[in-house]
Every structure is written in C-alpha cells, then in structure tokens.
Amino acid sequence: MTPDKLLEHTIRRIKKRLDLNNDKSNKISWIRLAIILLGILVTILALFFSNEILSGIAIFIFLCGFGLVSFIHHRLKRSIHKYQLWETIKTEHLSRATLNWRGIPSKNHTVNSHHPFAIDLDIVDEHSLHRLIDNTTSLNASERILTWFLNKDPNLNLILNRQELVKELIPLHRFRDRLTIQSNLISREPFDGNKFILWLNKLNEDKPSNFFLISIVGIAVTNIVLFSLDSLGWLYSYYTISFTIYILLFISKIKSISRVFEEAI
C-alpha cells in the first residue's frame, strides 16, 4: 500500500471512530438530562410524602450518578477532540504527500528579497519547499528550519548529522503525531517561544514577596482556628477581624492575580 493510500485508509478509520464517539456523546447527553429530570421528580415525590430522609438519599444518589456520567462524558469529549486533531494532522500529511497546497498550512515569514536563492529555488513562497515540509507547531521551530534552508555557508557534517536524526524520527509517526496533538491541546495557535519567555519574565517581576505569602497563609490558618473556637462557643466572633484582613490583602493583589489568570486562559 502506497503512503498516500495508507493515509487515506487511516483517515477513514479516524472518521468512523469519530462518528461512533459522537453517537455515544449524544446518548450520554440524553442520559444526563434523564438523570436530572428523574432526580427532580423523585425528590419532589419524597418531599410531597414528607419523607426528608428519603429525599436526602435520593438527592445524594442522583448527584453521584450525575457526577459519574458527567465525568465519563467529559473524557469522551476530550477523546473526540483528540481524534479531530488527529484527523486534521493526517489530512495535512495527505495534502503534503499529494501536493495539495490548499490543505497545507501556510506560515508567513519575512525574507530578504535580495537573498541569492530564497525565491529562485522556491525555498519560500506559496508553493515552496519550506511550506511543504514545515509541520512544526511553534513559530521558533519554523523559523529555525527556514534559517537552515537559507544558510549561504552550510556545514556538510552538520547537515549529515541532522539527516541521521531525521531518519530516526521517520518511522516514529505515532510519536510525532502525539506530540503535535499535545501541542494543539495546549493552544490552537502556533506556539511563540519569544512571547512565552517575555511572559515568564513579566510573571517573575509580579511575583508576590515571601512575606506576603507567609502572611496570607498565616492569616488563613488563624481564620480556621478562630472560626473553630467560635463554633465551639469558646470565643466570640474574632474570626471576622482576621477574615477582613485576609480579604484586604487579597484585594491588594487582585490585579496581578487576574492578569495572570486571563493570560493563562
């Protein structure tokens, strides 16, 4: 079987698995709805007959059942997403194998127009060598490959060493696909290492001091102790004072915390 035929066969298998998992997902969605409706109905009936114990047991059972089904549904949806990514990857491989340029992603790189062979040898362009073999998931890796292609003083030993490394990776197609899937699960956009390093440096600048961390942990522990003593009737509600201090400290750092949270999303 030729490589392109093998890819087509793999894509058909992935599509069949996707259809099967989508059918399962639809059925589980109806099961979740049925659990909610049944739980509400049983709880109302139990309350109608003034049986609070039975009502509590029913709520507990249906919450556990709903949580279990939701967990299974979440894993199934994650599996569907991975299969969708895998289908996209295999489709791109097939496009490269058959020179279907419409199916090959294009990355925009700025190249010096006076370069002696970048344009003439189709190193960079809509139908270029770089676009054909560039299946990287990060901008930095894509730029590195382009730099190797445009090197006007290549090192033969270095090139031969890279070719040996590539030969070792050629049969590991599943390993390479898994790496690509994991990268796409993190971000759909190409990973930019330069932006990530800048973000890390900025994050270190906004890092709370050790004194702040120790203080907020100490106040949190104090809140728990004072609340416990108040619940036992041994002290008055002094925990409201420590809790107020805790909230004020948290508010003082809310801007940096929210910024990190937004950037992480």
Side-chain angles (χ1 to χ4, degrees):
M1 187 179 292
T2 59
D4 54 332
K5 295 297 182 182
L6 183 60
L7 284 170
E8 290 176 355
H9 176 68
T10 303
I11 292 172
R12 286 195 297 268
R13 289 177 55 194
I14 295 172
K15 287 182 177 179
K16 287 182 179 179
R17 175 61 65 176
L18 272 173
D19 292 338
L20 181 62
N21 286 347
N22 283 323
D23 290 340
K24 289 181 179 179
S25 179
N26 292 331
K27 291 178 181 178
I28 292 177
S29 297
W30 284 107
I31 291 173
R32 292 175 64 177
L33 178 60
I35 290 175
I36 293 175
L37 296 177
L38 187 60
I40 294 174
L41 178 61
V42 173
T43 303
I44 292 175
L45 290 175
L47 292 174
F48 180 77
F49 290 105
S50 301
N51 194 330
E52 296 180 356
I53 297 177
L54 180 60
S55 176
I57 294 174
I59 292 174
F60 176 76
I61 292 175
F62 285 110
L63 284 177
C64 290
F66 183 79
L68 178 61
V69 174
S70 297
F71 173 75
I72 296 173
H73 200 192
H74 175 72
R75 294 193 61 179
L76 182 60
K77 284 184 175 181
R78 186 171 177 83
S79 175
I80 290 173
H81 184 44
K82 287 183 178 179
Y83 273 107
Q84 289 172 340
L85 292 175
W86 195 20
E87 181 187 8
T88 301
I89 292 169
K90 290 300 184 183
T91 303
E92 289 179 5
H93 291 342
L94 180 61
S95 297
R96 288 187 168 90
T98 57
L99 292 181
N100 178 18
W101 295 101
R102 292 184 178 180
I104 303 176
S106 177
K107 299 184 178 74
N108 295 322
H109 293 285
T110 303
V111 179
N112 188 352
S113 59
H114 299 291
H115 193 278
F117 55 83
I119 305 299
D120 294 340
L121 298 182
D122 286 332
I123 303 297
V124 288
D125 206 350
E126 282 297 313
H127 305 90
S128 64
L129 176 64
H130 180 258
R131 181 181 179 185
L132 182 63
I133 72 169
D134 181 18
N135 60 355
T136 59
T137 59
S138 70
L139 295 176
N140 304 84
S142 179
E143 290 173 356
R144 176 170 292 186
I145 292 176
L146 182 59
T147 301
W148 292 346
F149 283 163
L150 299 180
N151 187 4
K152 291 178 284 187
D153 186 21
N155 186 320
L156 179 59
N157 292 328
L158 186 59
I159 292 174
L160 293 175
N161 182 45
R162 289 171 184 161
Q163 289 178 350
E164 290 298 322
L165 295 175
V166 171
K167 288 179 182 179
E168 294 182 8
L169 288 173
I170 287 175
L172 304 177
H173 57 91
R174 289 188 177 180
F175 172 73
R176 291 184 281 109
D177 288 348
R178 285 183 179 180
L179 285 180
T180 305
I181 289 173
Q182 292 301 323
S183 176
N184 289 329
L185 286 174
I186 296 173
S187 175
R188 295 182 180 180
E189 299 296 327
F191 180 76
D192 191 339
N194 296 329
K195 288 184 178 180
F196 181 68
I197 292 174
L198 290 174
W199 179 78
L200 286 178
N201 293 332
K202 187 176 181 180
L203 185 63
N204 289 330
E205 294 175 358
D206 296 337
K207 182 180 179 181
S209 63
N210 292 332
F211 175 76
F212 174 81
L213 294 175
I214 294 173
S215 299
I216 202 165
V217 171
I219 294 174
V221 173
T222 303
N223 286 337
I224 296 173
V225 173
L226 292 178
F227 180 79
S228 301
L229 293 176
D230 178 69
S231 300
L232 295 173
W234 294 353
L235 282 178
Y236 292 105
S237 302
Y238 292 123
Y239 70 88
T240 56
I241 300 175
S242 59
F243 183 72
T244 302
I245 297 174
Y246 178 87
I247 293 297
L248 291 175
L249 285 174
F250 183 80
I251 292 175
S252 67
K253 295 292 182 179
I254 192 65
K255 289 185 178 180
S256 59
I257 294 173
S258 61
R259 183 170 61 252
V260 172
F261 181 74
E262 291 173 358
E263 292 175 352
I265 294 177

